[in-house]
Amino acid sequence: NFQLQDQDGRPRCKADFRGQWVLLYFGFTHCPDVCPEELGKLSQAVELLEREPGLPPLQPLFITVDPERDDAAAMGRYLRDFHPRLLGLTGTPEEVRAASSAYRVYASAGPRDEDGDYIVDHTVLIYLLGPDGLFLDYYGRSKSAQDIARSVRRHMDTY
């Protein structure tokens, strides 16, 4: 389970998504390339599935691994560039660590440069959660949006 806040400041927990299919990604808004690529791919997979009549809705989620910089306002600004229903979640460092740990996500902030900027090394996976909230599958960087959409559709068909 997790206790976090969305980009509008509303408290959110895992139970809020029960009954929904979820594609979940952990990353950070200052990520120069990998996170935007993965969130773009996640967004495209959701769009592909939305075009198929009869499929249940799929909720895209993004949980930060950098709560120091990623407050609700930063998440809201960042997520405008992706799927309109992509929900961003943040919280205290302890809350974010607990959520990351629950999904076995590795995250470690690197050294700060002269401007105080830093990169966060982290697990790069998109997770699929079923309507019961349980983990069903994961997708690494080598999977395309089409691969993910096909896999999610198969899981939906056999659930």
Side-chain angles (χ1 to χ4, degrees), residues 61-81:
L61 281 183
F62 172 64
I63 297 179
T64 185
V65 294
D66 186 15
E68 181 180 331
R69 294 182 291 189
D70 292 345
D71 61 11
M75 295 288 275
R77 286 188 303 273
Y78 183 72
L79 295 177
R80 286 185 204 133
D81 293 335

Side-chain angles (χ1 to χ4, degrees), residues 1-4 12-14 17 61 63 89 95 99 103:
N1 200 7
F2 53 78
Q3 302 290 328
L4 299 167
R12 296 295 188 129
C13 66
K14 186 175 176 187
F17 304 100
L61 281 183
I63 297 179
L89 302 178
E95 290 168 336
Y103 289 91

Side-chain angles (χ1 to χ4, degrees), residues 37-55:
E37 289 170 8
E38 292 300 294
L39 287 173
K41 182 169 61 176
L42 182 151
S43 296
Q44 186 181 4
V46 172
E47 289 168 4
L48 289 168
L49 290 161
E50 286 174 336
R51 293 182 198 149
E52 294 192 36
L55 287 183

